[in-house]
Amino acid sequence: MAANLLDFDLEGLAAFCDRLGEKRFRATQLFRWIHQKGARDFAQMSDLARSLRDKLAGAATITPLVVVSEHMSADGTVKWLFDVGGGNAVETVFIPEADRGTLCISSQAGCAVGCRFCSTGHQGFSRNLTTGEIVAQLWHAEHTLRQRLVLGAGERAISNVVMMGMGEPLQNYAALVPALRVMLDDHGYGLSRRRVTVSTSGVVPMIDRLREDCPVALAVSLHAPTDALRDDLVPLNRKYPVAELLDACKRYLAAAPRDFITFEYCMLDGVNDSAEHADALVQLVRRADVPCKFNLIPFNPFPESGLLRSPRERIATFAERLQDAGIVTTVRKTRGDDIDAACGQLAGEVQDRTRAHERRRRIPLIPVQPAARA
Ligand code: SAH
Ligand code: SF4
């Protein structure tokens, strides 16, 4: 079967070229054609020998994802829905800002973690994306946008990547790491480690591996100051409780490109948004001694969750309490609201194979007592 070259980082492509009897510098040329110029057709690659182009045409493809739809929001946010086969679709979102262009990428069709407040989680897990499918989201967005935006020579449309789309990236580790390497490679997208963020619900052993293999910026979805509450909101907490997660964060900082961890915290009305929760968070991160920033995300409601967004004033008060304790805190702006492009609304059209939502309905929401185990 022909290899999809989007599946390879530069090392992988060099090994592939070696199997074809080609030198390493050919792999670099090819890699640049694919990722820097957005080429799909080997015939275009004018500086490669005809004999190599013919060889490639027989042994390889550059297979992008199939676009189901594209929506552009009034604020410039763009959302693509890609078909990944078997009735599954994943979403990718581009968020333009004055000083950067951020692409939010999916890592799985569905997600097995099953967080209570997440629409992807409610669908259950369908499958891991391949490296090629993760990279193809960036490939498509960068080269589509580059044609549309008026960019100077050498300018890129996408300056930042966040692995915050559908899925838990650290539960698809083998495909994730080569994809990150393509993003970082100077012959690929040339993004700095500080501008590539992996967001995780807290897969502790994989946080340690990422530190060793490919340390990029880390965001951790915390959402609760105690195990009792986090067990309920983020079921993975039962396996990797808060104290272990914070220890892993601390270890990660030894190799991280930034000197803090970003904690994401989804603001859920009456669930995790009181002054006591804020104070418990301050105690928690102080005790654990983890340099951090908080990013409060106003919950994006969907009917099956049975949850509501915290009122604006409560979010502001919560942020103030953290800030008064010396923790840098931002409240995420909701972008692309008119096209359902915000966090947790990236539902795609994944088939619900696990009936996760039915299982979850039987688990009662635990009332909040912040000071407990963690
Ligand atoms: N699985 C990873 C990355 C994808 S989710 C993780 O959980 O970190 C990206 C972010 O969106 C996470 O912080 C997640 O908690 C948040 N999120 C999920 N559903 C949401 C919703 N309905 N409203 C607001 N934020 C949500
Ligand atoms: Fe999965 Fe992240 Fe959604 Fe939790 S918040 S279900 S880990 S995608």
Side-chain angles (χ1 to χ4, degrees), residues 235-249:
L236 192 68
N237 195 70
R238 297 173 203 154
K239 197 159 179 195
Y240 305 115
V242 174
E244 283 180 32
L245 177 56
L246 295 184
D247 279 350
C249 289

Side-chain angles (χ1 to χ4, degrees), residues 117-119 163-165 167-169 199-201 221 223 264 266 297-300 302 343-344:
F117 48 82
C118 173
S119 164
M163 296 301 303
M164 291 185 187
E168 170 47 56
S199 174
T200 180
S201 56
S221 296
H223 308 308
E264 293 163 279
C266 182
I297 315 173
F299 172 56
N300 288 301
F302 58 100
C343 279

Side-chain angles (χ1 to χ4, degrees), residues 147-162:
Q147 283 181 353
R148 285 186 204 160
L149 304 170
V150 188
L151 299 175
E155 270 190 317
R156 297 195 181 95
I158 291 157
S159 61
N160 295 55
V161 165
V162 292

